[in-house]
Amino acid sequence: MKRFMLFVICTLFLNAQQVHDMTVGNWHTVTTSKSENRTRITEKEFLNLKADHTFDITILVSLKKGEHFVKDLQVKASGIWKRYITTLVVVINKIEVPFAKEVSNTITPQSLQALASTYQARLRGNPIRINTITLLTKDKLTIVNEKGVKTEYTRYIPVTPKPVVPQKIPTPKIPKKRL
């Protein structure tokens, strides 16, 4: 009887504790490539899996070819996610309008729009993603999508700048002249 009571108490205690999901957190990956026409492309992907099973994904794309460049074309999406053992399902609900931080004068608006459409289509064309988690540690997350494409993320701790507090400069006291 004592063993049975101990078993019940242990079972209740273990079920009462919250299980921490290691997939929750900020993850990022960086990919750099060079095309045949000497265009250097850098893609940074930031994936924020939140504890309430919502997520944000931000893709920053930078291109440079000679004097032509686009710096940090930003494409954002958000939605919901769920993990079951080694399966991670991500459903994109919303895609925001992309914008670029800096663009050279030699890039036409049509070219910039075509580039933004390419990255939006990557998110819009596959809104439900079923991934297999092949590695999950404290600092690394490796997933393989349905097409067999492997993505390796590292844990990312965003740096928030401290607010600048102006220092008080004492005002000098000017003695008053007596007349």
Side-chain angles (χ1 to χ4, degrees), residues 55-60 73-80 90-99 113 115-129:
F55 78 94
D56 300 311
I57 186 169
T58 303
I59 301 172
L60 297 176
L73 173 67
Q74 189 175 73
V75 181
K76 284 186 170 188
S78 59
I80 57 174
V90 177
V91 180
I92 297 173
N93 293 333
K94 179 182 170 189
I95 299 173
E96 294 182 17
V97 176
F99 69 92
Q113 182 61 38
L115 180 65
S117 295
T118 300
Y119 283 93
Q120 276 186 311
R122 183 190 291 182
L123 296 172
R124 197 173 278 128
N126 191 10
I128 300 173
R129 300 170 180 210

Side-chain angles (χ1 to χ4, degrees), residues 36-105:
E36 292 177 10
N37 62 1
R38 294 186 175 162
T39 302
R40 182 178 174 89
I41 304 167
T42 303
E43 294 179 27
K44 297 177 187 176
E45 184 176 311
F46 297 91
L47 177 63
N48 181 10
L49 298 171
K50 300 174 188 172
D52 64 354
H53 292 277
T54 61
F55 78 94
D56 300 311
I57 186 169
T58 303
I59 301 172
L60 297 176
V61 182
S62 295
L63 287 101
K64 181 157 179 53
K65 180 181 177 184
E67 62 188 42
H68 314 291
F69 69 89
V70 175
K71 185 175 181 183
D72 291 342
L73 173 67
Q74 189 175 73
V75 181
K76 284 186 170 188
S78 59
I80 57 174
W81 68 276
K82 184 75 174 171
R83 176 180 162 211
Y84 180 73
I85 306 173
T86 60
T87 303
L88 177 67
V89 179
V90 177
V91 180
I92 297 173
N93 293 333
K94 179 182 170 189
I95 299 173
E96 294 182 17
V97 176
F99 69 92
K101 191 182 247 183
E102 191 176 345
V103 180
S104 68
N105 293 337

Side-chain angles (χ1 to χ4, degrees), residues 3-62:
R3 286 186 183 185
F4 177 73
M5 289 301 289
L6 182 61
F7 174 75
V8 170
I9 291 171
C10 286
T11 304
L12 290 173
F13 178 74
L14 290 175
N15 287 339
Q17 287 183 333
Q18 270 191 330
V19 178
H20 177 70
D21 190 352
M22 286 177 48
T23 52
V24 172
N26 293 310
W27 301 95
H28 83 286
T29 185
V30 177
T31 307
T32 303
S33 62
K34 205 172 211 178
S35 67
E36 292 177 10
N37 62 1
R38 294 186 175 162
T39 302
R40 182 178 174 89
I41 304 167
T42 303
E43 294 179 27
K44 297 177 187 176
E45 184 176 311
F46 297 91
L47 177 63
N48 181 10
L49 298 171
K50 300 174 188 172
D52 64 354
H53 292 277
T54 61
F55 78 94
D56 300 311
I57 186 169
T58 303
I59 301 172
L60 297 176
V61 182
S62 295

